[in-house]
């Protein structure tokens, strides 16, 4: 009977590797793909106009050195709270449509709107909204841009940063940017209060 045992052991271990590799496959389908959405694309909302679009594009390519293709940077201006005349048309599209449009737009239409993005002291919180990039690319690009935005807003704003996820595609871009900047403002306020609490 000894000849029989090793082969049954083999069967068991085969089965284990099968179920194991199977569970890996399941995991990979349920977790979001490393990069989601059209791209590489950055929607730069309320980024001070003193930082030129070309500069943003250079910073993005520094943050994503492995990409050969040009990273699309689309500035968005306007206030999020109320729908205004002359506000950015992208804000009232769904995120899915806005991303497609930004990817396919001719760059010439962008320069007009960027000059509107004049920051008041407590102007809207800048948002860097990424599509079609990995988490690492997003964070490295954000780290480069954030300090620049902070300096250009005279230390008022650290920009918020987010990556497109599937549930956002059906919401309006205005709503999503409002949510991102609202969450970010809360987080920054808490961080400030923590810092003040420690000083006393």
């Amino acid at each position: 009977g000894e000849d029989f045992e090793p082969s049954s052991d083999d069967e068991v271990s085969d089965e284990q590797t099968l179920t194991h590799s199977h569970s890996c496959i399941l995991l990979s389908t349920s977790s979001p793909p490393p990069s989601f959405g059209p791209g590489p694309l950055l929607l730069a909302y309320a980024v001070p106009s003193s930082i030129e679009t070309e500069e943003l594009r250079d910073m993005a390519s520094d943050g994503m050195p492995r990409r050969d293709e040009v990273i699309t940077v689309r500035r968005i201006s306007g206030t999020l709270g109320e729908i205004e005349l002359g506000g950015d048309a992208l804000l009232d599209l769904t995120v899915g449509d806005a991303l497609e449009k930004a990817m396919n737009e001719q760059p010439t239409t962008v320069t007009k709107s960027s000059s509107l993005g004049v920051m008041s002291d407590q102007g809207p919180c800048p948002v860097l909204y990424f599509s079609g990039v990995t988490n690492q690319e997003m964070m490295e690009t954000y780290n480069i841009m954030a300090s620049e935005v902070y300096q250009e807003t005279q230390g008022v704003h650290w920009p918020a940063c987010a990556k497109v996820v599937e549930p956002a595609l059906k919401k309006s871009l205005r709503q999503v940017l409002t949510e991102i900047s609202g969450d970010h403002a809360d987080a920054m306020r808490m961080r400030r209060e923590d810092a003040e609490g420690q000083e006393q």
Side-chain angles (χ1 to χ4, degrees):
E2 280 176 14
D3 291 342
F4 178 63
E5 273 178 2
S7 67
S8 68
D9 272 348
D10 284 350
E11 277 169 26
V12 171
S13 62
D14 276 359
E15 215 163 33
Q16 278 174 336
T17 52
L18 265 177
T19 50
H20 183 67
S21 63
H22 190 65
S23 63
C24 289
I25 294 167
L26 283 177
L27 279 176
S28 66
T29 50
S30 60
S31 65
S35 66
F36 176 79
L41 169 66
L42 166 63
L43 296 181
Y45 170 71
V47 169
S49 49
S50 51
I51 305 175
E52 290 174 12
T53 307
E54 202 47 54
E55 241 180 297
L56 289 173
R57 201 172 288 121
D58 288 346
M59 291 189 245
S61 52
D62 289 345
M64 308 179 202
R66 286 176 299 285
R67 286 191 185 264
D68 300 328
E69 68 267 58
V70 174
I71 294 128
T72 305
V73 175
R74 168 65 156 85
R75 304 183 85 113
I76 298 177
S77 55
T79 53
L80 293 175
E82 66 279 6
I83 295 178
E84 65 202 315
L85 290 169
D88 203 302
L90 279 195
L91 287 170
D92 297 308
L93 298 174
T94 63
V95 170
D97 290 346
L99 295 175
E100 287 299 331
K101 191 167 179 210
M103 281 303 286
N104 298 322
E105 242 175 10
Q106 297 312 308
T108 46
T109 56
V110 176
T111 43
K112 290 202 303 291
S113 65
S114 64
S115 58
L116 297 172
V118 180
M119 296 291 299
S120 62
D121 285 349
Q122 287 293 333
C125 173
V127 178
L128 304 173
Y129 195 37
F130 292 85
S131 172
V133 302
T134 65
N135 281 345
Q136 186 186 359
E137 288 173 331
M138 172 180 79
M139 289 319 301
E140 301 209 347
T141 305
Y142 175 76
N143 289 338
I144 297 168
M145 291 183 179
S147 51
E148 197 71 27
V149 171
Y150 183 72
Q151 284 164 4
E152 292 298 325
T153 58
Q154 280 71 52
V156 174
H157 288 301
W158 280 107
C161 168
K163 206 173 89 161
V164 174
V165 291
E166 194 164 359
L169 293 178
K170 296 178 180 62
K171 295 180 178 180
S172 81
L173 182 59
R174 182 187 300 276
Q175 181 190 351
V176 170
L177 290 177
T178 304
E179 288 169 8
I180 296 168
S181 56
D183 291 347
H184 179 72
D186 292 346
M188 295 311 286
R189 194 168 52 245
M190 281 158 67
R191 190 188 285 184
R192 246 198 323 272
E193 284 166 5
D194 282 355
E196 285 163 8
Q198 282 162 10
E199 281 166 16
Q200 286 161 10

